[in-house]
Amino acid sequence: MLLEVSELSVSYGEREIVRNVNLSLDEGEVLAIVGESGSGKTTVIRAILGCLPHEGRVSGGKILFEGRNLLENTTTEWCRLCGTKATMVFQDSGSILDPIRRIGSQFIEYIREHSPMTQKEAVKVAEDMLRKMHLPNTENIMKSYPFELSGGMRQRVGVAMAMVFKPRLLLADEPTSALDVTTQAQVVKEMMEICQQDKTAIIIVTHNIGVAAYMSDKLIVMQAGEIVEAGRTNDIIARPQSMYTKELLDAVPQVGGKSYVS
Amino acid sequence: MKRKELVHRLMQMVITLFGVSLLTFSLMYLSPGDPVEMLLEVADTIVSEETIAETRAQLGLDKPFHVQYFRWLTGVLQGDMGMSYSAKMPVADRLWQSLPGTLVLAASATVTMLLISVPCGILSAVYRNRPLDYFIRGISFLGVSMPSFWVGLILLYVLGLKLRLFPIAGGEVSFDRMVLPTLTLAIAMAAKYTRQVRTAVLEELGQEYITGARIRGFPMHKILWRHVLPNACLPLITLLGLQIGWLLGGVAVIEMVFSWPGLGKMAVHAIEMRDYPLVQGFVLWIAVLYMGINLLVDISYTYLDPRLKKGGC
Ligand SMILES: Nc1ncnc2c1ncn2[C@@H]1O[C@H](COP(=O)(O)OP(=O)(O)OP(=O)(O)O)[C@@H](O)[C@H]1O
Ligand SMILES: [Mg+2]
């Protein structure tokens, strides 16, 4: 097992927001988490990489990554893990970059933080990675500030940065929700391609059951901070057990095929 | 900042200067006390009504208000700020004499203030709601609540009179005479600025890009230096401009307390003597400095924040 989360609970202040979450993930597997807004999806994946907001904390459970309990990590161990073995893509990759520094300089800074590459080598790696995400004119993008790129470009940059060290685990929090349908499909496809090449396991949080169906091997349905259904994606979509999952599926009539995520 | 905007700002400055000068001119005119009597009193001789009238005419003080103001204004526009009654020399020369004292004091106070408040503010933000933060906030609260002239007097009493570490009499510009007034000003400014630094850093620490940097595996100290501080600089520069604005006024009081030979002391003396042209010159000068600093702040802003430079707003 690459990742094994057992009986995880998370609290904000005194309020327990997420209770008793169990999930596991093998090398190269894709897990999708779906559920209504506020059900705790973001909270779960942020807890896994120890980046909850200031007032949040894990109040119980275990998070085993490659056999080690991440909750016992020291700050140095987090720095060694995050950004290389495990990374994250956010809904708006623009907002997770420093607004007053160029993309290129941040990308290079990031690469050189975790590898002994020279400036020149890092530039090349960064540009190659951007090209892999089908970004045209990489030189221009490197010179741009985050606010100068379109939503789709920003997400591609986000994925490119996240995947540069071929991580074992990629956590993606609604990576395409802010994009229009066509771009959404493209970005998801490109992300999947890279992850499959590198055998990166993914946990993707999404509102789009279509995306979940297309991408994932396993599916978790969350409601009000708890898992209401978990299993193989195909099984759940074919034979949903809980009322809530049925409702979710009914809300998307075209589920069942991969046709709309080309 | 675009050229058009700059021109606009400069025009605004000119109008403001005009207003400021008119206002001080009226206030001086309306305030009790007669410059001629003050002037002749100093000579300590009995003067006749005639001499008074003569001097009054000589200085143009027998004319109605608007004539006096207009005459002064035309002079200034031609680069002539008039003669100081009390110093008996051109106002511009008198201002130049006192400027270095004030500039040196203001600069050293600002630097000291930054050296105190930037580290304290950062520490306070990073260790928010922990003992160190409470301690720093407590001290800065104390600093904000004490009037600066009082702090100055205490410092004079303790460090100057009791411990004899520094000379208590001012009078000339020198390093050991500068320590106490610098400290006094720096304490007052640092108390406020520490809080502002704390707020600005906290604001940045709450931003998503901090989470982003942590996810990319950067240790906190690197995030702090490379991302948080440059970003926090933007609001802090504006606030620094305001602090320096305060300093230009605050320095006058402190110069009096420490009898420091600067513009402030000169101005207070000029007001006592009803030395209209010198007071006018001083006010004009301070207004120009103040607006100049604010303009610089805004210009630096557009250079430091790419969103403004490229967005063109
Ligand atoms: N910083 C915070 N402080 C307090 N409560 C929070 C905080 N962040 C989230 N919550 C609460 O935790 C619950 C779960 O939030 P979370 O962001 O995990 O939901 P989500 O499933 O990701 O929703 P969405 O689909 O809208 O992104 C919500 O009820 C929210 O009110
Ligand atoms: Mg969310």
Side-chain angles (χ1 to χ4, degrees):
Chain A
M1 271 303 137
L2 179 75
L3 177 75
E4 210 168 350
V5 175
S6 47
E7 323 221 313
L8 177 75
S9 28
V10 183
S11 308
Y12 287 114
E14 291 304 305
R15 245 170 15 116
E16 199 168 68
I17 293 293
V18 165
R19 280 169 307 276
N20 197 22
V21 164
N22 295 289
L23 58 88
S24 63
L25 203 61
D26 252 330
E27 186 111 322
E29 238 179 352
V30 179
L31 168 78
I33 304 181
V34 296
E36 66 192 347
S37 186
S39 56
K41 307 177 298 287
T42 300
T43 307
V44 167
I45 63 167
R46 284 195 162 218
I48 293 173
L49 276 196
C51 63
L52 288 167
H54 187 63
E55 56 281 358
R57 72 196 159 81
V58 173
S59 47
K62 263 193 207 157
I63 302 170
L64 295 178
F65 180 76
E66 297 184 329
R68 282 189 50 94
N69 189 356
L70 296 185
L71 295 175
E72 290 160 7
N73 263 2
T74 61
T75 337
T76 339
E77 282 168 331
W78 275 123
C79 290
R80 224 174 293 145
L81 172 82
C82 286
T84 46
K85 286 191 156 176
T87 54
M88 197 148 159
V89 179
F90 295 76
Q91 183 164 353
D92 178 7
S93 298
S95 71
I96 62 141
L97 289 169
D98 188 335
I100 60 170
R101 289 213 7 220
R102 292 172 204 278
I103 306 259
S105 110
Q106 298 191 57
F107 204 159
I108 291 161
E109 180 187 29
Y110 167 43
I111 292 173
R112 298 190 63 191
E113 174 72 18
H114 297 290
S115 74
M117 276 183 227
T118 63
Q119 174 83 13
K120 242 193 185 151
E121 289 164 340
V123 171
K124 190 174 171 306
V125 169
E127 287 188 3
D128 283 350
M129 207 58 216
L130 292 175
R131 263 192 293 276
K132 248 191 186 169
M133 278 306 288
H134 301 276
L135 280 162
N137 217 338
T138 51
E139 232 170 278
N140 250 337
I141 288 183
M142 297 281 279
K143 270 192 229 136
S144 305
Y145 290 96
F147 73 93
E148 293 177 298
L149 301 185
S150 72
M153 287 159 100
R154 283 213 287 261
Q155 287 315 91
R156 288 189 168 97
V157 169
V159 175
M161 285 179 83
M163 294 305 295
V164 73
F165 285 106
K166 303 192 192 329
R168 299 292 79 223
L169 175 65
L170 174 71
L171 305 178
D173 189 1
E174 307 192 28
T176 58
S177 302
L179 309 179
D180 66 77
V181 182
T182 339
T183 325
Q184 207 170 45
Q186 285 166 355
V187 173
V188 165
K189 217 171 123 196
E190 289 156 9
M191 188 171 91
M192 286 295 285
E193 273 167 18
I194 298 186
C195 287
Q196 274 161 5
Q197 277 171 21
D198 301 341
K199 292 209 170 43
T200 299
I202 304 177
I203 299 182
I204 181 167
V205 168
T206 175
H207 275 291
N208 188 335
I209 296 225
V211 169
Y214 167 73
M215 284 181 69
S216 64
D217 309 307
K218 290 181 181 173
L219 187 65
I220 282 180
V221 183
M222 283 188 73
Q223 186 186 20
E226 290 184 61
I227 293 182
V228 291
E229 189 149 359
R232 314 244 29 119
T233 308
N234 293 338
D235 296 348
I236 293 184
I237 288 182
R239 288 174 297 279
Q241 300 297 312
S242 78
M243 271 312 292
Y244 181 61
T245 316
K246 283 180 195 156
E247 278 168 33
L248 272 185
L249 288 173
D250 285 343
V252 197
Q254 66 273 56
V255 164
K258 300 174 178 180
S259 51
Y260 45 88
V261 190
S262 52
Chain B
M1 196 178 290
K2 299 263 151 48
R3 174 182 252 126
K4 209 167 120 196
E5 216 178 318
L6 195 65
V7 171
H8 190 79
R9 279 289 292 269
L10 290 174
M11 300 259 292
Q12 258 181 348
M13 280 175 71
V14 170
I15 295 170
T16 312
L17 282 179
F18 179 76
V20 164
S21 72
L22 187 59
L23 195 68
T24 38
F25 211 91
S26 334
L27 285 176
M28 289 296 284
Y29 187 79
L30 292 174
S31 66
D34 179 358
V36 179
E37 277 172 23
M38 296 294 240
L39 202 61
L40 297 176
E41 230 171 58
V42 177
D44 221 13
T45 45
I46 315 273
V47 281
S48 63
E49 283 296 315
E50 271 162 45
T51 331
I52 290 181
E54 206 173 287
T55 319
R56 196 181 300 279
Q58 216 175 10
L59 299 176
L61 292 170
D62 53 344
K63 304 275 189 319
F65 173 78
H66 65 275
V67 177
Q68 284 187 40
Y69 179 70
F70 191 71
R71 182 192 276 180
W72 177 82
L73 193 63
T74 38
V76 168
L77 290 178
Q78 290 161 6
D80 176 15
M81 292 166 78
M83 289 289 283
S84 158
Y85 309 157
S86 56
K88 310 223 167 11
M89 61 162 88
V91 167
D93 293 359
R94 182 70 190 87
L95 287 174
W96 273 120
Q97 259 180 11
S98 297
L99 185 66
T102 295
L103 281 189
V104 167
L105 185 56
S108 78
T110 307
V111 171
T112 314
M113 177 280 269
L114 288 174
L115 287 178
I116 299 173
S117 58
V118 172
C120 286
I122 295 172
L123 283 175
S124 197
V126 172
Y127 294 98
R128 101 198 86 168
N129 296 338
R130 302 229 217 123
L132 183 64
D133 178 31
Y134 290 130
F135 178 72
I136 291 175
R137 276 157 72 188
I139 299 276
S140 87
F141 180 73
L142 215 72
V144 171
S145 1
M146 295 184 299
S148 59
F149 72 89
W150 185 76
V151 172
L153 290 175
I154 296 287
L155 286 179
L156 259 183
Y157 181 74
V158 177
L159 298 179
L161 213 60
K162 287 286 164 199
L163 299 176
R164 298 187 178 282
L165 291 173
F166 301 102
I168 44 173
E172 58 179 288
V173 177
S174 70
F175 179 76
D176 57 346
R177 281 171 219 277
M178 200 164 74
V179 174
L180 292 183
T182 296
L183 266 182
T184 310
L185 286 167
I187 287 173
M189 288 196 293
K192 235 205 241 144
Y193 205 60
T194 302
R195 291 177 173 196
Q196 294 170 335
V197 172
R198 178 179 183 273
T199 312
V201 171
L202 272 185
E203 167 79 27
E204 292 306 322
L205 284 176
Q207 299 290 318
E208 278 285 5
Y209 70 83
I210 303 294
T211 314
R214 273 171 56 195
I215 284 298
R216 268 169 269 141
F218 287 101
M220 203 53 210
H221 65 96
K222 282 190 187 165
I223 299 178
L224 210 56
W225 284 112
R226 295 188 196 160
H227 302 286
V228 173
L229 291 186
N231 275 281
C233 258
L234 298 172
L236 285 179
I237 285 176
T238 308
L239 292 167
L240 184 64
L242 293 177
Q243 287 274 345
I244 292 176
W246 176 87
L247 181 63
L248 292 176
V251 92
V253 179
I254 299 309
E255 283 179 4
M256 286 309 288
V257 171
F258 290 92
S259 70
W260 179 262
L263 283 175
K265 188 157 169 268
M266 179 210 78
V268 173
H269 186 66
I271 293 169
E272 276 169 0
M273 295 298 292
R274 298 293 180 276
D275 190 340
Y276 295 166
L278 191 54
V279 173
Q280 283 291 104
F282 168 76
V283 169
L284 213 57
W285 199 209
I286 291 290
V288 168
L289 263 177
Y290 184 71
M291 288 189 287
I293 287 167
N294 273 304
L295 186 66
L296 267 179
V297 163
D298 287 356
I299 291 175
S300 70
Y301 222 92
T302 40
Y303 278 97
L304 291 173
D305 191 340
R307 284 163 295 192
L308 293 182
K309 191 163 45 183
K310 301 215 176 172
C313 42

